[in-house]
Amino acid sequence: MKNLILICTIASFMACDNASLKMDANEKTSNIEEGKRLVTALGCNDCHSPKKMTEFGPVPDEDLLLSGHPQSMPLSEYDPCIPNSGAWILFSGSGTAAIGPWGTSFASNLTPHETGLGDWSLNQFTKAMKEGKSKGLDNGRMLLPPMPWVCYASLTNDEIENIFDYLQSLEPIDNLVPNPIPPQ
């Protein structure tokens, strides 16, 4: 009888553990889906995903989703008087580089590769989104335009965590984005 009680007790603990693991997995899946919804609604692909041209205009390249400005893509020549005037901002054809009075900024790789968010913590990501700090570091430079971090600062911590979970679930893409270029 003691053995039967012991076996039942162990089995019930195992069942509870398995149920909580399933709940945790379901909750994580739900968080990732919510993160994907937020990334889509916030327009992250507009700048962070290289585009390919279709009959309907440019669309995000699904093979390079959220991988930032392609490291091998040179910028076309342009008249520096245009962005320096403050009247215009230029975007590259891929939509992943922007040129304005601040210089040239390149959209970051948001995939979980080491050249992107691979070694970032949730705290770093939150600091970047809420405080506009590059790489989420206290001593990092401010994020450059057109990154609308000031708008994203109003996101809740749960929303930021869901976005982070989604980005961490992506296929890692090896793409070391160039450093910003100061104004000419």
Side-chain angles (χ1 to χ4, degrees):
M1 185 69 168
K2 282 185 188 178
N3 287 343
L4 181 59
I5 292 172
L6 181 61
I7 290 171
C8 289
T9 303
I10 291 172
S12 70
F13 280 124
M14 289 176 65
C16 289
D17 262 2
N18 286 339
S20 71
L21 286 176
K22 285 180 184 173
M23 278 189 356
D24 289 346
N26 289 340
E27 184 177 338
K28 190 70 160 179
T29 299
S30 177
N31 291 352
I32 289 170
E33 289 170 4
E34 176 63 4
K36 181 178 183 177
R37 186 192 72 76
L38 288 165
V39 163
T40 302
L42 295 170
C44 301
N45 283 301
D46 293 349
C47 294
H48 291 275
S49 292
K51 311 303 176 287
K52 60 182 179 182
M53 195 55 69
T54 70
E55 62 187 80
F56 303 107
V59 297
D61 183 339
E62 293 291 326
D63 293 332
L64 299 173
L65 206 60
L66 298 165
S67 65
H69 182 78
Q71 64 188 12
S72 61
M73 180 182 284
L75 295 176
S76 300
E77 289 193 31
Y78 63 93
D79 180 350
C81 293
I82 296 171
N84 290 341
S85 72
W88 291 92
I89 296 172
L90 305 175
F91 281 87
S92 66
S94 71
T96 58
I99 303 166
W102 64 86
T104 305
S105 52
F106 299 94
S108 298
N109 179 351
L110 301 181
T111 73
H113 190 271
E114 66 187 25
T115 59
L117 299 179
D119 60 357
W120 283 46
S121 68
L122 174 59
N123 288 338
Q124 283 177 280
F125 187 71
T126 301
K127 184 174 285 291
M129 294 288 282
K130 287 194 172 257
E131 298 176 31
K133 297 302 264 180
S134 179
K135 300 190 181 193
L137 301 173
D138 288 327
N139 61 351
R141 65 168 169 74
M142 294 305 292
L143 294 176
L144 297 173
M147 178 60 184
W149 71 267
V150 174
C151 299
Y152 298 163
S154 66
L155 293 169
T156 68
N157 287 340
D158 285 343
E159 289 170 325
I160 289 175
E161 184 173 359
N162 290 341
I163 292 169
F164 186 72
D165 287 346
Y166 167 65
L167 295 173
Q168 292 296 312
S169 77
L170 296 173
E171 186 69 33
I173 298 174
D174 183 356
N175 181 43
L176 185 60
V177 172
N179 288 320
I181 301 170
Q184 294 185 3

